[in-house]
Amino acid sequence: MRGEHVQLDGRRRTKRRPAAMPRAKRTLAAIAAGAIALSVWTSHPSQGAAVPALDTIRVGIFLNTSKYSLSTAAATFGSAGALAVGVRTPSDIVPLFQTGAGESVRITLDDYKPLLLETTDFMKALNVMKRLKALGASGFMTAAAGSGGKLYRILEGSYATAALAGAAGDKWMKDGTIAGYAGTSKKAGLTGPLHLDTGAKYASQSEAAAAAQKLNDAGVDAYAALKQTGTAAGFYTVLVGAAADQTALAAVKALAQQAGGGGTLSPTDAKSSYFLIRDDYTTADSASKPAVPLIAVPATGAKLWLDSASAGGIKLTERYNRSYRGSFEVSGQSGKLAVINELPFEQYIYSVVGGEMPASWPAEALKAQAIAARTYALYQGFGFQIAHVVDTTLSQAYGGIGAEKPTTIAAVDATQGEVATYEGNVINTVFSSSAGGFTADAQEIWGSSVDYLKSVESPDASSEKGLYKWYRVVLPNSLVGYIREDLLEDTGQESAGGQAVLRVKTDGTKVRPIPLVQDNVAVVDTVNRGTLVVQLEKVTQSNEMSWVRGTYSAAELLKLTQGKLSKPISGPIRTLEIGKEGPSGRPTEILANGQAVSVKTPDAFRSAFGSLPSTLFTIDETARMTIAGAGGATRERPADSGALYTVGADGQTQELKAANFFILNGDGTVRAATKDPSFRFVGSGNGHGVGLSQYGARGLAELGYDYKYIMQYYYKDSKIVKE
């Protein structure tokens, strides 16, 4: 059906919602020691313009840049097979060592860490570790054999300076105990990245560890380490000290010289890479468990490289225990540990398609998603300094091997190398979960017009299939909320205003603020079997197509906006209305108390008002009404905040004092109103709504359209070409 015109139902939806986004990539010739290879650009014969090709992509799993920050104090890697660990240089990977099959290795920065505890009591150390973890700290339990037995050390976190580490130590040490754990006292001090090189060479870690042990027995702080210089193969050595300042380093040097086992004890060479190795018991629950090597990576320069031949890939514990194809590069970046997954580009798309779209959806929708994801990644380039993309929806959802499914792999393979272009150039194929019936024009979301990102009607309603209906009802105490349809029955009666009267079927029925079960949100009320309620409206359970948020009081809404606007709203919010709309009906201007709400771009309205699913919404101002008076005069509330009166059938006048009341409009509908200003957002779609709608792609595929048509429908005048 490619090339045919698609006609939808022709109705303009007034509410719906959008969701996720895509991102970028490029090819690597050689990446190492801060040098990143340029992308390879080829010319497509049918286009005559440069179309980028990417063989390998770098995905930031943990990264600290101006655009993105996700940190971990340590990264734990494992594999069903052996892990090969090396140093990445500008020209090659220099091997260091290989683990046994199934063994793990932990990596942290060689930086500053508070030393909270030293003890020979494993259980005491373990209990402090558990306490730190419960409080959200990143603790380490390392161990070294000494003359008095194995000495366990509790370190915490990862800090760029001694001052920061010292402040962290003070934070966890209060009232004479560590993290509130009775029976512990602080071991004053810090560990740091200052070491002395003994100049020794050893053939194995065990030999280096034995040499370090002799120094430890003499009271000298010493560690086995790996040293690598230039392109030469790495070897094991012994480092003395892990000091936070030169004074502490001089003290440990004097002690080592007095002990007579320190060798030359020269400062570590800036031209070499040193990787200090500790025995790590952080994840052990028993002193009898084998230690895991904890490798400290220099904060600048050196890059560790991990690879595995195992079909199951490499598991990264700190990222939800996910397993990944390809290899890992671990280094310091802006004072934090940087963990980069580098893998073949098409294999990255396997996971993105599986993470962004259900594998059970039609094959043509999955193929469209594959092209959108591939193109988006290409378009971004090196968007994150040392990585093309990150693994969240700030780029594209990337969950490693676990996100892959046979159908998503097939969709990627079927479209291998295909990308979307406009006028010969790769385009920014942004996408979202659901456009809510109409995609957004880029102008009404980000303030800039893009020729191929225009508003089109989108068949997104499949997200509503099989969902419950919910009734918005009035309770006997005049409270308003939602009850699911299976908990109500029709009495056949009507209210005085002509609305259906429903009966509650079960005891303990919860009346919810929106048509969705949310266990972490307070309910409006709880009612029992037999309670009669009046129906205001019937809606579908909140989903990617349609949703409700609120009701928010004026004070609650003002609090939601705090810190999210370039100019705060002055005073309480009495009115909130849409001032201008874009082509799809999304607001490009919202007025609070008659003044424009100051956001950088219209898409920021979502975060400004409490993480709304999309910007395709209307605002229900529950206190807003026009009141007709004598002689045809009218007045507006809440601009006029005077008292309200009603005239009954008996001609008697009564002041309205209740918080909630109900208005019968001229068309016969009943509207729930409030005395004081409050606000509901009733909307459609999930996400920004620009470009491809994932539910819309599903809808078009179910109508029989192929993936090329779907792409060209959502990206106006685009072409699908091979890289």
Side-chain angles (χ1 to χ4, degrees), residues 514-527:
I514 68 172
L516 186 68
V517 174
Q518 296 174 294
D519 291 335
N520 60 339
V521 176
V523 298
V524 174
D525 203 351
T526 300
V527 292

Side-chain angles (χ1 to χ4, degrees), residues 195-216:
H195 314 291
L196 297 169
D197 188 347
T198 61
K201 286 187 177 182
Y202 300 97
S204 67
Q205 181 183 344
S206 60
E207 290 181 18
Q213 181 61 54
K214 292 180 180 179
L215 289 169
N216 282 316

Side-chain angles (χ1 to χ4, degrees), residues 341-618:
N341 179 208
E342 187 172 310
L343 74 160
F345 179 50
E346 291 292 313
Q347 293 179 9
Y348 162 74
I349 304 299
Y350 287 166
S351 179
V352 171
V353 175
E356 290 283 4
M357 186 173 280
S360 60
W361 281 16
E364 297 305 305
L366 294 171
K367 292 176 188 177
Q369 179 68 71
I371 294 179
R374 183 182 295 115
T375 308
Y376 183 82
L378 275 175
Y379 182 86
Q380 301 304 303
F382 270 99
F384 297 88
Q385 295 182 17
I386 61 171
H388 298 94
V389 294
V390 293
D391 68 345
T392 71
T393 55
L394 183 60
S395 291
Q396 302 181 113
Y398 170 66
I401 294 173
E404 300 175 9
K405 299 294 184 292
T407 53
T408 66
I409 293 173
V412 175
D413 289 345
T415 62
Q416 184 176 8
E418 292 185 327
V419 296
T421 64
Y422 178 79
E423 295 184 346
N425 297 310
V426 166
I427 64 177
N428 189 11
T429 49
V430 290
F431 56 84
S432 65
S433 175
S434 170
F438 285 87
T439 66
D441 188 298
Q443 177 76 42
E444 62 184 327
I445 296 298
W446 299 307
S448 300
S449 180
V450 179
D451 289 343
Y452 53 82
L453 296 176
K454 300 300 181 183
S455 179
V456 296
E457 195 172 359
S458 184
D460 300 305
S462 62
S463 65
E464 299 191 325
K465 292 179 180 177
L467 296 181
Y468 280 108
K469 297 293 184 181
W470 289 66
Y471 289 95
R472 189 174 188 224
V473 299
V474 182
L475 305 182
N477 59 8
S478 295
L479 294 178
V480 177
Y482 290 89
I483 299 178
R484 207 171 60 195
E485 61 179 338
D486 59 320
L487 303 176
L488 294 169
E489 60 186 4
D490 193 349
T491 65
Q493 304 172 30
E494 291 185 350
S495 69
Q499 286 68 46
V501 175
L502 309 174
R503 181 185 296 110
V504 176
K505 294 166 60 176
T506 60
D507 289 334
T509 295
K510 294 178 179 179
V511 185
R512 300 187 181 273
I514 68 172
L516 186 68
V517 174
Q518 296 174 294
D519 291 335
N520 60 339
V521 176
V523 298
V524 174
D525 203 351
T526 300
V527 292
N528 292 322
R529 181 195 303 268
T531 303
L532 299 181
V533 297
V534 176
Q535 174 185 338
L536 293 177
E537 61 179 330
K538 185 178 182 180
V539 300
T540 303
Q541 178 172 300
S542 284
N543 63 95
E544 283 79 0
M545 180 64 176
S546 57
W547 49 267
V548 178
R549 295 293 185 272
T551 301
Y552 302 114
S553 69
E556 289 171 335
L557 191 64
L558 184 63
K559 186 176 181 180
L560 287 176
T561 67
Q562 290 177 357
K564 300 172 185 174
L565 306 177
S566 54
K567 181 181 178 181
I569 298 171
S570 59
I573 300 176
R574 297 192 59 78
T575 63
L576 189 72
E577 57 191 323
I578 294 173
K580 297 177 183 177
E581 293 183 351
S584 72
R586 290 167 169 83
T588 56
E589 179 186 72
I590 292 179
L591 306 175
N593 303 332
Q595 300 296 312
V597 176
S598 56
V599 292
K600 185 176 181 180
T601 63
D603 191 47
F605 288 134
R606 286 197 285 163
S607 62
F609 297 117
S611 300
L612 299 177
S614 80
T615 58
L616 186 54
F617 56 73
T618 59

Side-chain angles (χ1 to χ4, degrees), residues 174-435:
K174 293 181 179 179
D175 301 324
T177 64
I178 299 171
Y181 182 74
T184 60
S185 58
K186 182 178 179 182
K187 168 68 177 181
L190 303 174
T191 65
L194 305 180
H195 314 291
L196 297 169
D197 188 347
T198 61
K201 286 187 177 182
Y202 300 97
S204 67
Q205 181 183 344
S206 60
E207 290 181 18
Q213 181 61 54
K214 292 180 180 179
L215 289 169
N216 282 316
D217 288 342
V220 179
D221 197 15
Y223 306 87
L226 283 159
K227 180 179 177 180
Q228 191 274 327
T229 304
T231 59
F235 60 88
Y236 289 95
T237 187
V238 171
L239 297 182
V240 169
D245 56 49
Q246 292 296 333
T247 300
L249 190 64
V252 75
K253 180 177 182 180
L255 186 60
Q257 289 175 331
Q258 182 179 353
T264 59
L265 291 182
S266 60
T268 51
D269 181 5
K271 295 181 180 179
S272 299
S273 296
Y274 293 85
F275 304 97
L276 184 148
I277 306 172
R278 294 180 174 94
D279 284 345
D280 187 273
Y281 285 86
T282 302
T283 58
D285 56 7
S286 167
S288 63
K289 295 289 180 68
V292 173
L294 176 67
I295 301 175
V297 180
T300 58
K303 299 175 182 291
L304 272 185
W305 181 258
L306 296 95
D307 204 353
S308 175
S310 172
I314 300 175
K315 183 175 76 172
L316 176 56
T317 301
E318 286 74 16
R319 200 59 172 149
Y320 310 113
N321 283 312
R322 290 171 176 165
S323 293
Y324 299 85
R325 294 177 183 263
S327 306
F328 276 92
E329 178 188 282
V330 187
S331 64
Q333 169 76 4
S334 302
K336 299 292 183 181
L337 194 68
V339 179
I340 307 295
N341 179 208
E342 187 172 310
L343 74 160
F345 179 50
E346 291 292 313
Q347 293 179 9
Y348 162 74
I349 304 299
Y350 287 166
S351 179
V352 171
V353 175
E356 290 283 4
M357 186 173 280
S360 60
W361 281 16
E364 297 305 305
L366 294 171
K367 292 176 188 177
Q369 179 68 71
I371 294 179
R374 183 182 295 115
T375 308
Y376 183 82
L378 275 175
Y379 182 86
Q380 301 304 303
F382 270 99
F384 297 88
Q385 295 182 17
I386 61 171
H388 298 94
V389 294
V390 293
D391 68 345
T392 71
T393 55
L394 183 60
S395 291
Q396 302 181 113
Y398 170 66
I401 294 173
E404 300 175 9
K405 299 294 184 292
T407 53
T408 66
I409 293 173
V412 175
D413 289 345
T415 62
Q416 184 176 8
E418 292 185 327
V419 296
T421 64
Y422 178 79
E423 295 184 346
N425 297 310
V426 166
I427 64 177
N428 189 11
T429 49
V430 290
F431 56 84
S432 65
S433 175
S434 170

